[in-house]
Amino acid sequence: MFDLPSSLPSSAKYRVGLGDTGFSIRYKLSVEIDIHIASLEVLVASAPLQPRNEPCIVQPTSHAITSVAGRNQGSVTYAAKLQNSFIRKGENITVALACRNDAQVDIQRVEVKVVELVNWGSCDGYNKSRRYKETLIEMKDVDLPGLHKSKKSRSEMVDTTYRTVEAQRDTYAAICNDLACGQNTVDLVCPYNARDSYEGSLVDIRH
């Protein structure tokens, strides 16, 4: 009798994208006596995740907004926070959002997505050379205070692109405070068809 490592992913066969492209995770139990070898394929289920709390934050990030003609329209700063990044299938995902719009235009739409990234390679080399991305959940038209343009002059809007370190720090601090208050949140459910997160030498699955 022996114990399998708890880090092993579940047995699975994945078709990624169109056609027969994909990969499989299989386990075999082999017995060798002298020159005789017998093997049997066995199904393995990954160890269940133990409940624990691991918050995760997307730090405030500012992006310059330009028109089609390349004209400076100001900037938008946003951030997000996961109440817990250690999620099991079927569990709730709570995402806190915060935004400051210092541009001359309104932000038309905010989307929240759960995306699965799969990288895999082969025993012949080209490790993790194949990549596939799939959107598992997509929530459109999220209502987020701070999206509408500020009532400032154009010169003030443009100045925000070149704001001082102190002013930028104040904006980031205000956004982090919004996240801590958790007033603007979106709830999603981790789908049961999500693949197990895993990082190995040939297969890498992230969310």
Side-chain angles (χ1 to χ4, degrees):
M1 182 177 179
F2 56 90
D3 295 327
L4 295 175
S6 59
S7 59
L8 292 179
S10 298
S11 301
K13 183 176 182 180
Y14 297 127
R15 176 176 293 179
V16 183
L18 300 176
D20 296 327
T21 303
F23 61 93
S24 61
I25 300 175
R26 298 186 297 171
Y27 299 91
K28 287 186 177 181
L29 179 63
S30 297
V31 178
E32 182 175 349
I33 301 177
D34 196 14
I35 62 172
H36 304 286
I37 301 176
S39 62
L40 174 68
E41 185 168 330
V42 294
L43 297 178
V44 173
S46 60
L49 297 177
Q50 299 302 316
R52 72 187 196 202
N53 189 29
E54 290 188 3
C56 174
I57 186 171
V58 177
Q59 297 292 341
T61 304
S62 296
H63 290 276
I65 304 297
T66 57
S67 65
V68 176
R71 191 176 184 181
N72 189 356
Q73 299 290 303
S75 64
V76 172
T77 304
Y78 63 86
K81 178 182 178 181
L82 280 177
Q83 303 295 349
N84 187 9
S85 62
F86 202 77
I87 304 164
R88 295 177 292 189
K89 298 176 183 180
E91 288 188 339
N92 191 61
I93 307 172
T94 300
V95 185
L97 304 169
C99 177
R100 290 292 185 278
N101 186 359
D102 292 314
Q104 285 189 290
V105 295
D106 288 338
I107 304 301
Q108 298 298 320
R109 181 172 62 184
V110 172
E111 298 180 352
V112 177
K113 297 180 180 180
V114 175
V115 178
E116 188 170 73
L117 303 174
V118 182
N119 300 325
W120 80 99
S122 66
C123 298
D124 299 325
Y126 303 102
N127 188 26
K128 298 182 183 177
S129 61
R130 300 179 181 179
R131 296 176 174 84
Y132 178 73
K133 179 171 70 173
E134 180 181 2
T135 298
L136 301 179
I137 307 175
E138 182 175 9
M139 181 176 290
K140 298 182 177 180
D141 299 326
V142 176
D143 185 18
L144 178 59
L147 290 181
H148 298 293
K149 59 187 177 183
S150 304
K151 294 181 179 179
K152 298 180 181 179
S153 66
R154 184 180 184 281
S155 60
E156 288 178 311
M157 296 290 183
V158 174
D159 286 343
T160 59
T161 306
Y162 310 100
R163 67 181 66 180
T164 64
V165 174
E166 291 77 12
Q168 190 176 58
R169 185 182 298 120
D170 291 342
T171 297
Y172 285 6
I175 287 181
C176 288
N177 183 66
D178 289 349
L179 294 180
C181 293
Q183 295 180 348
N184 307 311
T185 60
V186 175
D187 289 322
L188 308 169
V189 177
C190 181
Y192 286 99
N193 65 335
R195 298 177 173 95
D196 293 339
S197 298
Y198 177 72
E199 184 174 2
S201 60
L202 298 177
V203 178
D204 183 29
I205 304 175
R206 301 187 183 190
H207 299 86

PDB file of all heavy atoms in Angstrom, residues 52-65:
ATOM      1  N   ARG A  52      -9.495  27.566   2.585  1.00  0.00           N
ATOM      2  CA  ARG A  52      -8.572  28.549   3.151  1.00  0.00           C
ATOM      3  C   ARG A  52      -8.804  29.876   2.452  1.00  0.00           C
ATOM      4  O   ARG A  52      -9.377  29.928   1.362  1.00  0.00           O
ATOM      5  CB  ARG A  52      -7.129  28.089   3.010  1.00  0.00           C
ATOM      6  CG  ARG A  52      -6.539  28.114   1.616  1.00  0.00           C
ATOM      7  CD  ARG A  52      -5.172  27.468   1.608  1.00  0.00           C
ATOM      8  NE  ARG A  52      -4.404  27.785   0.418  1.00  0.00           N
ATOM      9  CZ  ARG A  52      -3.410  27.039  -0.024  1.00  0.00           C
ATOM     10  NH1 ARG A  52      -3.080  25.927   0.623  1.00  0.00           N
ATOM     11  NH2 ARG A  52      -2.738  27.381  -1.094  1.00  0.00           N
ATOM     12  N   ASN A  53      -8.374  30.941   3.064  1.00  0.00           N
ATOM     13  CA  ASN A  53      -8.644  32.283   2.563  1.00  0.00           C
ATOM     14  C   ASN A  53      -7.357  32.923   2.060  1.00  0.00           C
ATOM     15  O   ASN A  53      -6.417  33.110   2.824  1.00  0.00           O
ATOM     16  CB  ASN A  53      -9.270  33.141   3.664  1.00  0.00           C
ATOM     17  CG  ASN A  53      -9.771  34.473   3.127  1.00  0.00           C
ATOM     18  OD1 ASN A  53     -10.139  34.568   1.966  1.00  0.00           O
ATOM     19  ND2 ASN A  53      -9.769  35.492   3.969  1.00  0.00           N
ATOM     20  N   GLU A  54      -7.321  33.236   0.761  1.00  0.00           N
ATOM     21  CA  GLU A  54      -6.153  33.870   0.153  1.00  0.00           C
ATOM     22  C   GLU A  54      -6.621  35.036  -0.717  1.00  0.00           C
ATOM     23  O   GLU A  54      -6.871  34.870  -1.911  1.00  0.00           O
ATOM     24  CB  GLU A  54      -5.353  32.873  -0.683  1.00  0.00           C
ATOM     25  CG  GLU A  54      -4.626  31.823   0.129  1.00  0.00           C
ATOM     26  CD  GLU A  54      -3.699  30.971  -0.723  1.00  0.00           C
ATOM     27  OE1 GLU A  54      -3.585  31.250  -1.937  1.00  0.00           O
ATOM     28  OE2 GLU A  54      -3.095  30.043  -0.171  1.00  0.00           O
ATOM     29  N   PRO A  55      -6.781  36.235  -0.128  1.00  0.00           N
ATOM     30  CA  PRO A  55      -7.183  37.398  -0.923  1.00  0.00           C
ATOM     31  C   PRO A  55      -6.140  37.717  -1.993  1.00  0.00           C
ATOM     32  O   PRO A  55      -4.956  37.425  -1.834  1.00  0.00           O
ATOM     33  CB  PRO A  55      -7.272  38.528   0.106  1.00  0.00           C
ATOM     34  CG  PRO A  55      -7.394  37.838   1.431  1.00  0.00           C
ATOM     35  CD  PRO A  55      -6.624  36.559   1.300  1.00  0.00           C
ATOM     36  N   CYS A  56      -6.607  38.313  -3.079  1.00  0.00           N
ATOM     37  CA  CYS A  56      -5.716  38.680  -4.183  1.00  0.00           C
ATOM     38  C   CYS A  56      -6.164  40.035  -4.722  1.00  0.00           C
ATOM     39  O   CYS A  56      -7.363  40.265  -4.903  1.00  0.00           O
ATOM     40  CB  CYS A  56      -5.754  37.625  -5.280  1.00  0.00           C
ATOM     41  SG  CYS A  56      -4.818  38.046  -6.761  1.00  0.00           S
ATOM     42  N   ILE A  57      -5.216  40.932  -4.973  1.00  0.00           N
ATOM     43  CA  ILE A  57      -5.559  42.267  -5.456  1.00  0.00           C
ATOM     44  C   ILE A  57      -4.822  42.572  -6.754  1.00  0.00           C
ATOM     45  O   ILE A  57      -3.652  42.231  -6.917  1.00  0.00           O
ATOM     46  CB  ILE A  57      -5.229  43.349  -4.388  1.00  0.00           C
ATOM     47  CG1 ILE A  57      -5.720  44.720  -4.855  1.00  0.00           C
ATOM     48  CG2 ILE A  57      -3.746  43.369  -4.077  1.00  0.00           C
ATOM     49  CD1 ILE A  57      -5.632  45.797  -3.803  1.00  0.00           C
ATOM     50  N   VAL A  58      -5.565  43.151  -7.702  1.00  0.00           N
ATOM     51  CA  VAL A  58      -4.961  43.709  -8.912  1.00  0.00           C
ATOM     52  C   VAL A  58      -4.672  45.168  -8.585  1.00  0.00           C
ATOM     53  O   VAL A  58      -5.595  45.969  -8.416  1.00  0.00           O
ATOM     54  CB  VAL A  58      -5.914  43.599 -10.121  1.00  0.00           C
ATOM     55  CG1 VAL A  58      -5.292  44.256 -11.349  1.00  0.00           C
ATOM     56  CG2 VAL A  58      -6.253  42.151 -10.400  1.00  0.00           C
ATOM     57  N   GLN A  59      -3.422  45.505  -8.447  1.00  0.00           N
ATOM     58  CA  GLN A  59      -3.029  46.828  -7.996  1.00  0.00           C
ATOM     59  C   GLN A  59      -3.568  47.920  -8.925  1.00  0.00           C
ATOM     60  O   GLN A  59      -3.740  47.700 -10.134  1.00  0.00           O
ATOM     61  CB  GLN A  59      -1.503  46.934  -7.919  1.00  0.00           C
ATOM     62  CG  GLN A  59      -0.866  45.994  -6.915  1.00  0.00           C
ATOM     63  CD  GLN A  59      -1.206  46.351  -5.473  1.00  0.00           C
ATOM     64  OE1 GLN A  59      -1.615  47.472  -5.170  1.00  0.00           O
ATOM     65  NE2 GLN A  59      -1.051  45.379  -4.582  1.00  0.00           N
ATOM     66  N   PRO A  60      -3.861  49.128  -8.392  1.00  0.00           N
ATOM     67  CA  PRO A  60      -4.350  50.227  -9.231  1.00  0.00           C
ATOM     68  C   PRO A  60      -3.414  50.486 -10.404  1.00  0.00           C
ATOM     69  O   PRO A  60      -2.198  50.575 -10.238  1.00  0.00           O
ATOM     70  CB  PRO A  60      -4.367  51.417  -8.258  1.00  0.00           C
ATOM     71  CG  PRO A  60      -4.544  50.802  -6.905  1.00  0.00           C
ATOM     72  CD  PRO A  60      -3.784  49.509  -6.962  1.00  0.00           C
ATOM     73  N   THR A  61      -4.007  50.586 -11.579  1.00  0.00           N
ATOM     74  CA  THR A  61      -3.243  50.787 -12.803  1.00  0.00           C
ATOM     75  C   THR A  61      -3.892  51.899 -13.618  1.00  0.00           C
ATOM     76  O   THR A  61      -5.105  51.913 -13.797  1.00  0.00           O
ATOM     77  CB  THR A  61      -3.216  49.494 -13.653  1.00  0.00           C
ATOM     78  OG1 THR A  61      -2.698  48.427 -12.861  1.00  0.00           O
ATOM     79  CG2 THR A  61      -2.336  49.666 -14.876  1.00  0.00           C
ATOM     80  N   SER A  62      -3.082  52.835 -14.093  1.00  0.00           N
ATOM     81  CA  SER A  62      -3.584  53.950 -14.901  1.00  0.00           C
ATOM     82  C   SER A  62      -3.283  53.713 -16.375  1.00  0.00           C
ATOM     83  O   SER A  62      -2.190  53.254 -16.726  1.00  0.00           O
ATOM     84  CB  SER A  62      -2.944  55.271 -14.455  1.00  0.00           C
ATOM     85  OG  SER A  62      -3.305  55.586 -13.125  1.00  0.00           O
ATOM     86  N   HIS A  63      -4.268  54.030 -17.215  1.00  0.00           N
ATOM     87  CA  HIS A  63      -4.098  53.889 -18.662  1.00  0.00           C
ATOM     88  C   HIS A  63      -4.480  55.200 -19.336  1.00  0.00           C
ATOM     89  O   HIS A  63      -5.540  55.773 -19.054  1.00  0.00           O
ATOM     90  CB  HIS A  63      -4.966  52.765 -19.205  1.00  0.00           C
ATOM     91  CG  HIS A  63      -4.506  51.408 -18.802  1.00  0.00           C
ATOM     92  ND1 HIS A  63      -3.524  50.714 -19.478  1.00  0.00           N
ATOM     93  CD2 HIS A  63      -4.875  50.612 -17.763  1.00  0.00           C
ATOM     94  CE1 HIS A  63      -3.314  49.554 -18.880  1.00  0.00           C
ATOM     95  NE2 HIS A  63      -4.119  49.464 -17.843  1.00  0.00           N
ATOM     96  N   ALA A  64      -3.626  55.681 -20.226  1.00  0.00           N
ATOM     97  CA  ALA A  64      -3.922  56.881 -20.992  1.00  0.00           C
ATOM     98  C   ALA A  64      -4.988  56.576 -22.041  1.00  0.00           C
ATOM     99  O   ALA A  64      -4.978  55.512 -22.653  1.00  0.00           O
ATOM    100  CB  ALA A  64      -2.652  57.399 -21.665  1.00  0.00           C
ATOM    101  N   ILE A  65      -5.913  57.495 -22.223  1.00  0.00           N
ATOM    102  CA  ILE A  65      -6.977  57.363 -23.211  1.00  0.00           C
ATOM    103  C   ILE A  65      -6.691  58.321 -24.360  1.00  0.00           C
ATOM    104  O   ILE A  65      -6.459  59.513 -24.138  1.00  0.00           O
ATOM    105  CB  ILE A  65      -8.353  57.679 -22.607  1.00  0.00           C
ATOM    106  CG1 ILE A  65      -8.622  56.796 -21.379  1.00  0.00           C
ATOM    107  CG2 ILE A  65      -9.453  57.506 -23.643  1.00  0.00           C
ATOM    108  CD1 ILE A  65      -8.679  55.321 -21.688  1.00  0.00           C
TER     109      ILE A  65
END
